[in-house]
Amino acid sequence: MNGTTKTGLQAPETTMPIDPGPFDCMPDLLAAARVAPIVRIPYLGQHAWVVCDRELVKQALAHPKMGKDITLVPDFMKQPGLMVGSQPPPEYARAMIMSDGENHARIRRLHAPVLSPRNTERWGERVSVKVDGFLDELENLSGEVNVVTDYTHKIPLAFISEMLGLPEEAERQLRSITDVMLYSSDYEARTLAVRALYGAVEGWVENPEPLRDGVITGLLASSNGIDAAVTEGEVIVWTLGMIITGYETTGSLISASLFEALRRPVDERPTTDEGIKAWIEEALRVHPPFPHPTWRFPLEDIELGGYLIPKGAPVQVSIAAANREPGEEADSFEASRGGHGHLSFGLGAHYCIGASLVRLEAQIAVSGFLRRFPEARLSASTPVEWESEWMIRRMSVLPAALR
């Protein structure tokens, strides 16, 4: 302990599903959160702290002494196959979510023009075109469809590929790599997938000839000359971050939103633009794609809610628990709530910079589907399937009859 040692209770130990698998983690996450406002879970042979109480989560998200910089990651977490363990050294490049202070402000400032209101409106027009195309493809399918693979995840993957300026053949490659990276329980396979994704992006940055005009070529233009704003290493690392957050989380949100619609009678589904927006916010509240978003590391001993979190301890905040009222169960979607008070995009300096674009993509995708297939319903014979662990959660099978 250092000279500013604080006193406080030891957070009780409980468990959460650490390894990914074909199950829904949400009931277990909420059960763990009921043990105490802050808990410890066994992690990589040591412990991680998880802040569960809503008010304490808000404090942790905005706490000036809860650091996120890559230099704070302890050695025991630097393991192959783990996203946090696969980050490059800071002298090469820092990712936005693993930086603080001026480093974070600079990265955010350089990303801001891409996600400006004017650009977001333009991106929305491109999403609409892609949604119409994928809906046309759905109309040509017979029998039941898996809405996840046939629709919801196609949209953000196609869009982020176009936004970045990737060659068309990259979409299939990205889907197979990111699936293994995020959801495989084989850590050797995850390590290889991380390397494959890095290698693919590195190849595009070093030889941009196959690229279309987009974010990557724009960043590369800023990396040339004596007054270069960014380095090639930063272009690679930032592109990796945009692929993972811009594709997987958006696809998960669209899937969850449509799941909640398809499991209800037609007359209970949203029909207006405002209704769609409220529906998506409630899906964000009940189905946050990242139930525990990103790591934090206290710069000194911190006391939250009477509990001590030691300096340097790995900390997660439970968005899954913070989004819900005390005692609320996992299956608690209520459209009338409109997602009131959810924290799924974070809070404070690290609030998701792409939140407006994610919302817009989801609104276009959900409204387009429900208007094109107003009688669609969940399969009566094929079950819904989930893939998850404690940090990431998505639906893998959303079986539906469209007519």
Side-chain angles (χ1 to χ4, degrees), residues 73-361:
V73 177
D75 288 341
F76 81 90
M77 293 180 68
K78 297 175 181 177
Q79 294 193 16
L82 296 177
M83 290 300 296
V84 72
S86 304
Q87 295 290 318
E91 59 271 18
Y92 179 77
R94 280 178 165 88
M96 190 185 302
I97 63 170
M98 296 299 293
S99 59
D100 282 321
E102 178 49 38
N103 287 319
H104 177 260
R106 170 181 169 268
I107 299 170
R108 197 174 181 94
R109 189 166 57 244
L110 289 166
H111 280 70
V114 176
L115 299 165
S116 67
R118 177 178 296 180
N119 265 348
T120 297
E121 181 179 348
R122 180 165 62 90
W123 296 133
E125 294 171 358
R126 297 302 305 152
V127 172
S128 294
V129 170
K130 295 188 180 301
V131 163
D132 286 342
F134 291 132
L135 289 171
D136 290 343
E137 291 178 10
L138 278 179
E139 281 197 319
N140 292 325
L141 298 179
S142 59
E144 290 186 355
V145 301
N146 179 359
V147 179
V148 174
T149 54
D150 291 327
Y151 183 66
T152 64
H153 274 63
K154 282 186 172 183
I155 298 162
L157 182 56
F159 171 67
I160 196 68
S161 297
E162 179 177 313
M163 179 179 174
L164 292 172
L166 301 183
E168 292 183 9
E169 64 272 15
E171 292 181 27
R172 191 182 309 106
Q173 182 182 10
L174 291 183
R175 176 69 194 262
S176 61
I177 290 174
T178 54
D179 275 359
V180 174
M181 266 178 58
L182 297 173
Y183 292 101
S184 174
S185 58
D186 182 337
Y187 281 83
E188 182 176 350
R190 289 173 74 167
T191 300
L192 293 174
V194 169
R195 291 174 183 165
L197 181 58
Y198 180 90
V201 174
E202 183 181 41
W204 294 323
V205 169
E206 291 182 349
N207 177 26
E209 186 175 340
L211 296 177
R212 297 171 284 179
D213 285 342
V215 172
I216 296 178
T217 56
L219 287 173
L220 285 173
S222 299
S223 70
N224 296 323
I226 193 169
D227 296 321
V230 301
T231 67
E232 284 196 1
E234 288 176 325
V235 177
I236 294 170
V237 170
W238 297 352
T239 299
L240 291 170
M242 284 186 273
I243 289 171
I244 294 167
T245 58
Y247 156 51
E248 179 58 40
T249 57
T250 307
S252 295
L253 173 59
I254 299 169
S255 298
S257 301
L258 285 176
F259 164 66
E260 293 293 355
L262 293 174
R263 68 195 295 215
R264 287 168 166 75
V266 172
D267 61 2
E268 293 181 15
R269 301 174 187 176
T271 56
T272 66
D273 288 345
E274 288 306 310
I276 293 285
K277 289 178 182 179
W279 195 274
I280 297 233
E281 293 304 309
E282 181 66 357
L284 280 164
R285 186 184 76 86
V286 175
H287 301 291
F290 285 151
H292 297 88
T294 52
W295 291 104
R296 286 163 167 78
F297 306 94
L299 303 181
E300 61 184 42
D301 294 340
I302 291 175
E303 188 177 307
L304 283 180
Y307 292 89
L308 174 67
I309 304 179
K311 176 182 178 181
V315 177
Q316 282 284 348
V317 294
S318 179
I319 299 300
N323 279 354
R324 297 169 186 265
E325 299 298 328
E328 188 178 331
E329 297 299 326
D331 187 7
S332 60
F333 185 99
E334 292 183 21
S336 60
R337 288 179 184 261
H340 179 70
H342 77 73
L343 298 169
S344 295
F345 288 124
L347 190 70
H350 282 275
Y351 183 84
C352 177
I353 192 172
S356 295
L357 183 55
V358 170
R359 284 182 165 113
L360 183 60
E361 281 188 75

Side-chain angles (χ1 to χ4, degrees), residues 364-384:
I364 294 168
V366 171
S367 62
F369 184 94
L370 294 179
R371 288 166 185 163
R372 185 77 70 97
F373 304 108
E375 302 299 322
R377 60 197 180 281
L378 284 184
S379 167
S381 57
T382 306
V384 167

